[in-house]
Amino acid sequence: MQIKEIAKKYNLQPDTIRYYEKENLIYPKRLDNGYRDYGESCEEQLQFILVFKQLGFSIKEIHQLFEMRGKTISIECNDTSVLLLDQKITNIENKIEFYQHALKVIQKIKSLIDDGKYAENMEVIEKLLLNFYKDIYKERF
Amino acid sequence: MQIKEIAKKYNLQPDTIRYYEKENLIYPKRLDNGYRDYGESCEEQLQFILVFKQLGFSIKEIHQLFEMRGKTISIECNDTSVLLLDQKITNIENKIEFYQHALKVIQKIKSLIDDGKYAENMEVIEKLLLNFYKDIYKERF
DNA sequence: CTTGACCTTAGAGTTCACTCCAATGATATA
DNA sequence: TATATCATTGGAGTGAACTCTAAGGTCAAG
C-alpha cells in the first residue's frame, strides 16, 4: 500500500503518517524506488496509535508504550511504563465519571434550547449551567 | 484576591489567567494601583472555563458559550451555539463509550503487569493489547 | 529608604501535532 | 514523449494554549 492509499483508508493526511514515522511510531518498508510500502504490521501500528491517541496519550507516550510492548523480560518493562499506564487509568476513570455527569446536564440544557424556549427557560438554563459547572468543579478539582 | 492567590487556588499560573483575560474569558476589576482584583464572579467564570475545558471545548468555544449565556432572547441564541452544543454532546457520548471499553482492557493489562508477571504473562498481555486496539478500532473508526 | 516580593505591560518563545512548501524523482496513461 | 499524478526530502509555517522575558511600577517589613 502506498502512502496515499493508507492515508485515505485511515482518514489521515499522508503528511501525518510521515510525521508519525519521523517520531518513530511506524516503520514502513521501502520499495525499490524508495516509496514507502505499508503492510499489515504498519496498519496495526497505526490502529494502535489512533486508539491510544483517542485515549489521551501523547505521541511521546505512545512511543513509550511501543517500547514496552517489545520487551520480553519483566525487568526491562520498567517502572515508568507501568506508572504511565497507572496514571492514565486513573485519568480515564476520572474522565468517564466526569463525562457521565456532564452529559446529563448538557443534554438537559440542549433539550431546553431545542424546544425553542430559550427565552422562557433562560433562567432555568442559566441555573443549570451555573450548577453544572459548580457541581463538577466541586467534584473534580 | 490578587492574581497569585487565585492562580494558586485554582492551580494555574498567573500567566494563564492573564491569557484567559486577553482572550476575553474573564474580566477582573482593577484596584487603584492597577492590580487585578479577582472576586466571586471571576471565580465562577474561571470554574466555568475549567469545566468546559475538561469537556473538550476550546477557548474560542468557551467564549461562544459565554456569549450565549448572556443573551435573553431566543433569537439571539443563534444556531451556531446550539450546533456547538449538539456536536459536543455527540462527542461526549462517544468518548464515554470509548473510555468505558478502554478502561476495562487497560485495567486488565495493568493488573497483569502489577503482579510482576509481565514475563510469564507477556503473551497474554500482548494479545490483550492487540485485541484491545483492534476491537476499539473496529468499533470506533 | 532599601530590599524583596509582588504587580503591570508588550511581545517573544515554546510545545505539540500537525500541515504545507519547494525542489526533485518515479510511474501510468493519451 | 508529454503530462498528470503520485512519490521523495528537508525544512518552514500554523494554531492552540500557554509560558517566559524584559523593563518597569507598587508596597510591606526591617
Side-chain angles (χ1 to χ4, degrees):
Chain A
M1 228 191 296
Q2 284 188 192
I3 200 158
K4 209 193 176 185
E5 202 178 342
I6 198 173
K8 199 179 176 187
K9 184 167 179 184
Y10 289 88
N11 206 25
L12 298 167
Q13 290 211 260
D15 271 331
T16 305
I17 295 172
R18 276 189 285 258
Y19 168 71
Y20 290 153
E21 187 178 342
K22 213 170 62 185
E23 299 295 321
N24 300 307
L25 294 185
I26 206 169
Y27 324 97
K29 289 189 180 98
R30 295 296 181 123
L31 300 172
D32 291 344
N33 58 14
Y35 288 15
R36 290 168 179 85
D37 186 22
Y38 296 91
E40 212 178 301
S41 74
C42 280
E43 286 200 56
E44 282 180 7
Q45 268 167 293
L46 207 48
Q47 286 169 12
F48 189 102
I49 294 165
L50 294 176
V51 167
F52 280 87
K53 232 165 58 73
Q54 272 278 334
L55 286 172
F57 287 74
S58 73
I59 261 78
K60 272 184 192 165
E61 288 171 336
I62 293 170
H63 184 71
Q64 260 185 74
L65 291 177
F66 272 139
E67 285 195 332
M68 191 184 82
R69 214 162 51 126
K71 307 295 179 188
T72 29
I73 305 161
S74 61
I75 292 159
E76 284 179 276
C77 171
N78 58 12
D79 286 350
T80 43
S81 298
V82 178
L83 202 67
L84 180 62
L85 271 182
D86 229 13
Q87 283 171 349
K88 290 291 165 175
I89 287 170
T90 312
N91 225 302
I92 289 168
E93 283 167 341
N94 282 340
K95 272 184 188 168
I96 287 176
E97 231 188 288
F98 180 75
Y99 282 129
Q100 277 172 337
H101 188 144
L103 191 59
K104 276 185 210 151
V105 190
I106 281 197
Q107 275 172 340
K108 189 151 196 177
I109 292 168
K110 215 208 91 196
S111 73
L112 286 173
I113 293 173
D114 270 355
D115 292 346
K117 291 171 187 159
Y118 184 68
E120 295 109 275
N121 291 322
M122 199 201 77
E123 276 179 51
V124 183
I125 293 173
E126 296 283 307
K127 216 171 270 173
L128 271 173
L129 273 170
L130 206 77
N131 292 333
F132 169 58
Y133 73 79
K134 280 190 174 170
D135 281 5
I136 293 189
Y137 181 80
K138 250 183 281 167
E139 270 181 41
R140 300 244 60 82
F141 296 96
Chain B
M1 227 191 299
Q2 284 189 191
I3 199 158
K4 208 191 177 187
E5 202 178 343
I6 198 174
K8 199 178 176 187
K9 184 166 178 186
Y10 289 88
N11 206 27
L12 297 168
Q13 290 212 261
D15 270 331
T16 305
I17 295 172
R18 277 189 285 257
Y19 168 71
Y20 291 153
E21 187 179 342
K22 213 171 63 184
E23 298 296 319
N24 300 306
L25 294 185
I26 205 168
Y27 324 96
K29 288 190 181 98
R30 296 294 183 124
L31 300 170
D32 290 345
N33 58 15
Y35 287 16
R36 289 171 179 83
D37 185 22
Y38 296 89
E40 211 179 300
S41 73
C42 280
E43 286 202 56
E44 282 182 6
Q45 267 169 296
L46 206 49
Q47 287 169 12
F48 189 101
I49 293 165
L50 294 175
V51 167
F52 280 88
K53 231 165 61 72
Q54 271 278 335
L55 286 173
F57 286 73
S58 74
I59 262 78
K60 272 185 190 165
E61 289 170 335
I62 292 169
H63 184 71
Q64 258 186 73
L65 290 178
F66 272 140
E67 285 197 331
M68 191 183 79
R69 215 161 53 126
K71 308 295 178 186
T72 29
I73 305 162
S74 61
I75 292 160
E76 284 179 278
C77 173
N78 56 12
D79 286 350
T80 43
S81 298
V82 177
L83 201 68
L84 179 63
L85 272 181
D86 228 14
Q87 283 171 351
K88 290 291 166 178
I89 288 170
T90 312
N91 226 301
I92 290 168
E93 283 167 339
N94 281 341
K95 272 184 186 166
I96 287 175
E97 228 187 292
F98 181 76
Y99 282 127
Q100 276 172 339
H101 187 143
L103 191 60
K104 277 184 207 149
V105 189
I106 282 196
Q107 274 171 339
K108 189 152 196 177
I109 292 169
K110 215 207 92 198
S111 75
L112 287 173
I113 293 174
D114 272 355
D115 291 345
K117 290 171 186 161
Y118 185 67
E120 296 111 272
N121 292 320
M122 198 204 79
E123 276 180 51
V124 183
I125 292 173
E126 296 283 307
K127 215 170 274 175
L128 271 172
L129 273 170
L130 205 75
N131 293 335
F132 168 58
Y133 73 78
K134 280 189 174 171
D135 281 4
I136 292 188
Y137 181 81
K138 251 183 283 168
E139 270 182 42
R140 300 244 59 85
F141 298 95

